[in-house]
Amino acid sequence: MEKEIIEHGFSFNRRRFLSTMSLGIGSVALGSLLMPDLLKGGGLEEEGLAPGIPHFAPKAKRVIYLFQNGAPSQQELFDYKPKLREMFGQEIPPSVRGTQRLTGMTANQASFPLVGSFVDFKQYGQSQAWVSNLMPYTSKIVDDLCFVRSMYTEAINHDPALTFLQTGSQQGNRPSMGSWLSYGLGNENKNLPNFTVLLSRGVGNGQGVYSKLWSNGFLDSVHQGVQFSKGEDPVLYLRDPEGMDRKERRDMLDKLSELNEMSYQEFGDPEISAKIKQYEMAYRMQTAVPEVMDLSKESDDIIKLYGPECLVPGTYAANCLLARKLSENGVRFVQLYHQGWDQHGNLPFEITKQAMDVDQASAALVTDLKQRGLLDETLVIWGGEFGRTSYTQGKLTTDNYGRDHHPRCFTVWMAGGGIKPGIVYGETDELGYNIAKDPVHVHDFQATILHQLGLNHEKLIFKHLGRRYRLTDVSGKVVRDIIS
């Protein structure tokens, strides 16, 4: 029974449990131990989802993923390569480039000249981590961060790479990481969704993000991500229709729940039960969401910490502050997407503006969580879908260049949630083109995230169309060297 609940337990209510299991006292007692609310009185509104059961004691309770959509250039931010400056304009050696697949944007280039970063780097903190001068705020918190410089992926174009990082597959229609965590761990706050999504846009080219990235896939639809927008209604269709008051809404939902329960008893479709839960969640969110969105109780020190843009809805800074509020209110997985990191040309100008967009607020989020005592239980992640080439795309001049997609190596940082602070893990070669030490595949990265939340990536499984699916597909290993 325990194994079955771990793998499939999110949709059980009392009636289903008692109808599918032996009615002996031993079975009822076991059920009440595994699912404490199983025998609680009341209707479906009170029952909600069965509580999640971690596979082992977690080091983190929640995740905030600051996804930098479009792929930040590691050479300009965190992976210092002075050799690239020395070899400015020289052809990348064939022994380094190897037989790597190229995108259609550089496949027809006659040459591939190397280009070093236009910005300077310094070492900071006790960890002596290298950070460029584009990230002055991040440089102040390096001793709270774990830089992973040896990430690599399988996809070379944005959509499949982004989809792969978020869902474990380059094709769509698979559950997102946030959906897997919701499925595996259950609700922490019954008044807010388990998985929320926030979007912002920078100054550069905005690669698209799509709802498939926060889809529940083949999991129960209660695990789908809920997008918050910057408009007057942060969650669409949450308000009552004009002319309907709260009592009328409650009466309508009660009648609708009765009808859906009758349909469920007749057909046994778990999506009917999910629909009931979603209606009830929306009703509770009508009160909870405005409270979370209200910034009037935030101190002047907090506004100063995040910067004045945190008061402008829809900005990256505002979303970082909102992410903290959602997380501290029990939202299991908060996903930010910040578009604009796709610098194929005019990189010096665009990445400078893009870094200014995110640097202060990213560092503020880590600092804010730490001073509230929440960083230990919150895993913060910063990074994109792949890296950037060491050679230039297009014309190279002394003050301008671009970089193409590069899946062979890129940098992310992590903070809190049981990850070792103040370390740098993995190395790239002196030209920043290949991994020289401690490679971390996307599935390794995903396995490590799940591990920090008490989930074994090989056991977090859902059976669908005759196959046992998981976030990490058929590979992945936990990167134990970065775990405290």
Side-chain angles (χ1 to χ4, degrees), residues 14 17-18 28-29 31-32 35-41:
R14 296 194 314 275
F17 179 81
L18 295 175
V28 175
S32 66
M35 301 162 64
D37 293 332
L38 185 67
L39 303 179
K40 179 181 176 181

Side-chain angles (χ1 to χ4, degrees), residues 207-457:
Q207 286 296 326
V209 292
Y210 315 102
S211 58
K212 69 175 183 177
L213 298 172
W214 50 92
S215 168
N216 57 290
F218 43 70
L219 297 178
D220 191 297
S221 59
V222 297
H223 303 303
Q224 179 174 324
V226 175
Q227 181 182 345
F228 279 52
S229 69
K230 64 180 180 180
E232 184 178 349
D233 295 319
V235 179
L236 297 179
Y237 313 116
L238 194 61
R239 289 187 180 186
D240 291 330
E242 188 175 346
M244 175 179 282
D245 60 26
R246 291 287 285 175
K247 183 180 183 305
E248 291 172 323
R249 181 72 164 183
R250 181 68 265 165
D251 292 342
M252 183 273 288
L253 288 176
D254 289 341
K255 293 298 182 183
L256 188 60
S257 179
E258 290 178 15
L259 293 173
N260 281 323
E261 177 66 10
M262 291 169 60
S263 296
Y264 178 73
Q265 292 303 313
E266 182 176 356
F267 300 107
D269 183 353
E271 278 300 303
I272 298 174
S273 179
K275 185 183 295 184
I276 297 171
K277 296 183 181 79
Q278 288 168 325
Y279 281 133
E280 295 300 333
M281 172 64 79
Y283 180 77
R284 296 191 296 269
M285 285 171 63
Q286 287 181 322
T287 299
V289 169
E291 290 178 358
V292 171
M293 300 295 291
D294 182 14
L295 300 181
S296 63
K297 296 180 182 179
E298 298 296 327
S299 68
D300 291 341
D301 288 342
I302 291 297
I303 302 303
K304 183 179 179 180
L305 181 66
Y306 284 87
E309 282 205 336
C310 74
L311 298 176
V312 181
T315 62
Y316 182 81
N319 286 348
C320 282
L321 179 53
L322 179 56
R324 187 267 290 165
K325 290 171 67 68
L326 289 167
S327 184
E328 71 178 343
N329 278 279
V331 174
R332 186 76 67 183
F333 194 93
V334 184
Q335 176 75 69
L336 278 71
Y337 290 102
H338 187 63
Q339 300 167 269
W341 287 98
D342 196 21
Q343 283 92 34
H344 289 274
N346 200 22
L347 183 146
F349 172 79
E350 290 189 2
I351 200 170
T352 299
K353 297 293 185 182
Q354 193 75 5
M356 289 177 62
D357 264 353
V358 306
D359 178 41
Q360 180 175 356
S362 300
L365 176 61
V366 173
T367 302
D368 194 7
L369 290 169
K370 185 177 181 180
Q371 64 191 17
R372 291 171 186 271
L374 296 172
L375 187 58
D376 287 345
E377 63 185 38
T378 309
L379 177 59
V380 183
I381 306 166
W382 190 104
E385 61 266 40
F386 42 57
R388 290 283 163 179
T389 55
S390 302
Y391 56 79
T392 187
Q393 176 179 340
K395 186 177 180 180
L396 172 62
T397 67
T398 56
D399 60 358
N400 202 0
Y401 55 90
R403 297 190 190 275
D404 200 5
H405 308 166
H406 191 64
R408 283 195 178 187
C409 56
F410 60 106
T411 300
V412 304
W413 61 250
M414 309 169 78
I419 296 295
K420 287 181 181 178
I423 69 168
V424 176
Y425 184 80
E427 296 177 9
T428 56
D429 62 26
E430 62 181 0
L431 297 180
Y433 196 80
N434 295 301
I435 293 173
K437 181 182 178 182
D438 297 326
V440 178
H441 185 266
V442 165
H443 286 322
D444 302 334
F445 180 64
Q446 293 163 336
T448 305
I449 294 170
L450 294 181
H451 179 274
Q452 296 309 93
L453 282 100
L455 296 171
N456 183 330
H457 72 106

